[in-house]
Amino acid sequence: MKKEATNPYRLLPKVDDVLSRPDVRALEGRCARELLTSFLVEILDGWRAAIGAGELDSAGVKERLEGGDLERSLLGRIECEEKGGYTRVINAAGVVLHTGLGRAPVHPEVASVMEEAARSFGVLEVDRFSGRRNQRDDRLSTLLCRLSGAEAGICVNNNAAAVVLLLSTFAAGRETLVSRGELVEIGGSFRMPDVMEKAGTRLVEVGTTNRTRPEDFRKAKCDATGLLLKVHTSNFKVVGFTEEIEAKDLAALGVELKVTSAFDLGSGRFECENSMPLEMLGGEPLVREAVESGVDVVTFSGDKLLGAPQAGLIVGRAEAIALLRKNPLYRALRLDKVTIAGLERTLELYLDGRADEIPTRVMLLKSAEDTRADAEELVRAIDSMQGFSARLVEDASQPGSGSAPNVFLPSFVVRAGHDSWSVDQLAARLRAGDPCVFARIQDDALLLDPRTLLADDRDGIIEAFRALA
Ligand SMILES: *Cc1c(COP(=O)(O)O)cnc(C)c1O
């Protein structure tokens, strides 16, 4: 008898038939029927497309149906629906300021004032003593001035916004001079040349990739020059025969040429009395020194080395800050009350000599020896679980977020593996698990780095492995 080649499309089940199956009906407890329907339609459309592309024939469809692929795909969609969106993560990747994982976790006291602010009304734009209207970031400005020595401050949504506000205020329709060696791209599509274009300023590159001198700026200056900008090359290092323009030289040029000067620090480092200096991050410019250099405006991030909520902090000369405040864009970039409350409290911790309690600094300041106990405990626990192995190795964590690209912080870490899963499979299961754990994958090994663990995270990791075992 001749074997009929079945039409693979005919083998695809009807959505309604699948939905009426008892095992699928049972899923309605986890997921609304409309969603189940749309998931099924999507999955089967995918199969149909694969047939159309010649990637799936009738034998393949049969194999999928018999192998339970449809149910697995459906469960996968439901799980994504249930676990998608923002979720708390255990950062075992050892990258202290991990943009993908939300950068700086704030101090518990900061978190608690943020929660309070979110739940309630607050004095945001009124002075509680006079009852008069004021600026929402007045107090922040005061605190920033005390910390940095600047005349005034203003805060926006993030440092990218700070740079946009800066460019738009001083150089819209005009030129911005930047050293060719400082035209950086910060992760996530923040490329200086593109940002300048969007802010409506014409970029003029000055000097060469490895050397820029004050004379180069003098030559490039013309009537259309609106801003002299220095950008900290956060995420790369030009080494060898190099010369960058110093902030104080840029400031002097600004005075000489009668043009506003600004310095985008990226991270921005504060060192205070009663706090340990972040010596390993010596390459990251200090906010106070940048202000003392005399540039008119200094910008930096809230959620990088400062260890605060996401924000863009701007300090500098009073007249320059006043102009930033007058720009209508400021209204679009301003902070919300929750962030303001958290930022104020963070800056107060610095002023109170308690900076070293801030999680970001705690993590950066840990010695290798400080990471050993957690690593050993994790090795003991994981190595004793069925199917898993773990051992202690010496490795290095990273500050992250474009801060100090060539700085490595020595740590003891856990190299973990599974008898039958690949490194990627194990990593994926840890990410999808509960609690959700992000590990570091390096040279085809899965590493758990205790440097970036918060209180209780070590036990959380053990719990996550237990759930997988
Ligand atoms: C990180 C960084 C930015 C962007 O700051 P966000 O707070 O992420 O918006 C801008 N400039 C430099 C030099 C940076 O390092």
Side-chain angles (χ1 to χ4, degrees), residues 191-202:
R191 312 183 81 195
M192 244 339 145
D194 301 343
V195 171
M196 295 218 178
E197 194 189 313
K198 284 290 168 202
T201 180
R202 200 159 64 253

Side-chain angles (χ1 to χ4, degrees), residues 103 158-161 163 184 186 190 192 231-234 264-267 301-304 310-311 401-402:
R103 291 200 191 151
N158 55 20
N159 189 30
V163 172
V184 301
I186 318 295
F190 187 79
M192 244 339 145
V231 183
H232 177 55
T233 53
S234 303
D264 170 15
L265 303 184
S267 225
S301 284
D303 54 349
K304 288 186 182 172
Q310 179 191 303
S401 249

